[in-house]
Amino acid sequence: MPERNPAPRWLISRRERPEAVLNLYVFAHAGGSAGEYLMWADDLPELRVWGVQLPGRSSRFAEPPYERLEPLVDDLTAQAAFDGPCVFLGHSFGALVAYETARALHHAGRPGPDHLLLSSCRPPHLLGTGRSSRTPLTDLSDDDLLAAVEERWGPLSEQARTDAGLRRMVLRTLRSDLSVLEAYEHRPGPPLPIPATLLCGAEESGQLDMDSWSEQLGRVQERLVLPGGHFYFRSDPRPLLDVIRATAQSLAITAQTGATERCTT
């Protein structure tokens, strides 16, 4: 197996925090970069927040982006170590990458997340439903692609609309990530036995069929609908941060209870 490197390429962090009780690994949305999520580190001082940085963006812009999920997950799990205890948080496209990464680690018998926080993503076995009846987003012109993305998932930043250089960068990563989604085919298997919390915005809750995630996850603990749309955390991240804190506290209590039981037996 290739030597794994925990940080310099795939995983980035703003705060060292060696005393942190938990690692939070965040998987960004399609076209997104880890930097947006790393800002939460200031509000989560008890955690070390890691961003999973995919090729083709930010510090890895010179590297060609992936257009298929399987090689992405293969390379990520071969080259990055996910230290525990830890939680995976994925939003939208990032939720799919987080789920498949956790699945690959579990199947390989390697350390992986103690909890999954999966946000704003349809169950993987339903992602291709209706695909043949719609024009693939990656076949659209630049203007039509951006319009379609904004219609489905909400507005881009004003800078992405007006800055030609940033617009090209956004389009590049969007097209590659959407290629991954459009080519994705779920491989059936037993439900992943990792505790999970499912989240989404109130304005999109009727479109995601969150109940069907139970076919792929054996331990769905909560389904939470938070105020807002697809990017519900951009206007007010506090509800999501509260969920992260509660998850971390629950894992800490479980670990402490387990240690106590081991000492008394």
Side-chain angles (χ1 to χ4, degrees):
M1 178 182 295
E3 181 180 357
R4 295 195 300 274
N5 190 355
R9 293 177 64 244
W10 288 96
L11 305 176
I12 58 175
S13 180
R14 292 177 63 224
R15 300 283 186 268
E16 289 296 328
R17 290 183 181 155
E19 74 286 356
V21 298
L22 189 77
N23 286 313
L24 175 69
Y25 295 98
V26 185
F27 297 72
H29 57 280
S33 180
E36 175 176 355
Y37 302 88
L38 291 180
M39 294 186 296
W40 297 344
D42 293 337
D43 296 306
L44 299 168
E46 68 277 23
L47 308 180
R48 184 164 187 186
V49 181
W50 295 91
V52 178
Q53 189 76 289
L54 302 184
R57 63 211 78 199
S58 191
S59 61
R60 303 186 67 184
F61 183 76
E63 299 177 51
Y66 289 91
E67 296 186 353
R68 297 292 183 272
L69 187 58
E70 186 174 358
L72 187 165
V73 171
D74 286 347
D75 289 347
L76 172 59
T77 55
Q79 298 171 26
F82 295 97
D83 295 326
C86 70
V87 172
F88 282 5
L89 166 62
H91 179 67
S92 195
F93 166 75
L96 177 64
V97 181
Y99 160 76
E100 288 290 0
T101 300
R103 200 179 185 205
L105 292 168
H106 177 73
H107 288 175
R110 288 177 47 196
D114 298 277
H115 197 100
L116 290 169
L117 296 171
L118 302 178
S119 170
S120 298
C121 182
R122 297 189 77 204
H125 62 288
L126 299 181
L127 284 175
T129 303
R131 180 184 294 160
S132 61
S133 64
R134 297 186 302 188
T135 300
L137 292 178
T138 49
D139 289 349
L140 300 176
S141 68
D142 288 352
D143 289 341
D144 288 345
L145 173 59
L146 291 178
V149 166
E150 291 193 310
E151 180 181 358
R152 291 190 191 184
W153 297 303
L156 300 171
S157 68
E158 185 62 27
Q159 188 178 7
R161 294 195 191 93
T162 58
D163 184 315
L166 180 59
R167 186 173 186 268
R168 285 193 297 271
M169 293 170 61
V170 169
L171 281 164
R172 180 192 187 219
T173 54
L174 264 177
R175 286 192 183 279
S176 63
D177 291 348
L178 292 173
S179 293
V180 171
L181 281 173
E182 290 173 353
Y184 175 76
E185 294 184 7
H186 183 256
R187 296 184 177 185
L192 189 60
I194 297 174
T197 299
L198 307 177
L199 308 102
C200 70
E203 296 169 18
E204 62 177 355
S205 60
Q207 308 165 20
L208 297 177
D209 200 357
M210 290 171 63
D211 288 343
S212 292
W213 263 106
S214 59
E215 296 182 33
Q216 310 304 331
L217 299 168
R219 300 174 63 186
V220 176
Q221 295 186 337
E222 285 189 289
R223 294 173 176 85
L224 302 175
V225 178
L226 302 181
H230 185 68
F231 288 105
Y232 55 88
F233 49 81
R234 283 180 170 169
S235 58
D236 184 3
R238 288 174 296 180
L240 177 56
L241 295 177
D242 286 343
V243 172
I244 295 170
R245 292 188 192 97
T247 301
Q249 184 177 17
S250 176
L251 289 174
I253 292 172
T254 300
Q256 185 176 17
T257 301
T260 301
E261 290 175 350
R262 286 192 297 272
C263 290
T264 56
T265 57

